[in-house]
Amino acid sequence: QVQLVESGGGSVQAGGSLRLSCVASGYTHCMGWFRQAPGKGREGVASFLFADHTDYADSVKGRFTVSKDNRKNTLYLQMNSLKPEDTAMYFCAARGFGGSCGLTSANYNYWGQGTQVTVSS
């Protein structure tokens, strides 16, 4: 069983930046970030398999960057130029075995508790 602990959420004004972190307690094949706004479904934001194999939702390309520190087993999401529509609960996810990753939530079998990001206009 892998535990995921997110941190780094908060409230910022539009145009601001935040960096989310997710520490994993064990082996992960790949990791990703998802978000869910009130009344909406869970949306894939970014995924990380290795340094040159990442995926991003079209809505965040050019603004968000996903990275991983393997020594710390920690996934990051640097979020710049934040918009009010980025407001959501952000979840870290991990897949504990080989196979497809990407932005499909069904591909992940471990989930964190989430961290709230609120962007005001």
Side-chain angles (χ1 to χ4, degrees):
Q1 189 78 4
V2 175
Q3 292 187 334
L4 304 174
V5 179
E6 304 106 328
S7 62
S11 297
V12 296
Q13 291 190 327
S17 298
L18 285 172
R19 188 176 82 153
L20 306 183
S21 300
C22 173
V23 181
S25 65
Y27 170 77
T28 59
H29 170 63
C30 57
M31 298 179 74
W33 289 100
F34 291 77
R35 67 186 181 186
Q36 188 165 14
K40 295 187 177 181
R42 191 164 292 188
E43 172 192 23
V45 175
S47 70
F48 185 99
L49 179 58
F50 40 83
D52 58 352
H53 196 133
T54 56
D55 289 315
Y56 294 93
D58 288 343
S59 59
V60 306
K61 283 180 181 177
R63 301 188 298 122
F64 291 10
T65 302
V66 64
S67 61
K68 188 179 180 204
D69 185 332
N70 287 322
R71 293 174 301 172
K72 297 180 180 180
N73 216 14
T74 299
L75 184 75
Y76 301 98
L77 184 69
Q78 178 66 44
M79 305 185 294
N80 298 329
S81 302
L82 282 161
K83 303 176 181 179
E85 51 263 45
D86 294 317
T87 295
M89 184 70 79
Y90 283 69
F91 297 90
C92 176
R95 181 179 176 93
F97 50 94
S100 298
C101 300
L103 301 179
T104 302
S105 60
N107 290 342
Y108 295 83
N109 57 322
Y110 298 115
W111 292 85
Q113 294 299 308
T115 185
Q116 178 68 36
V117 171
T118 302
V119 184
S120 58
S121 57

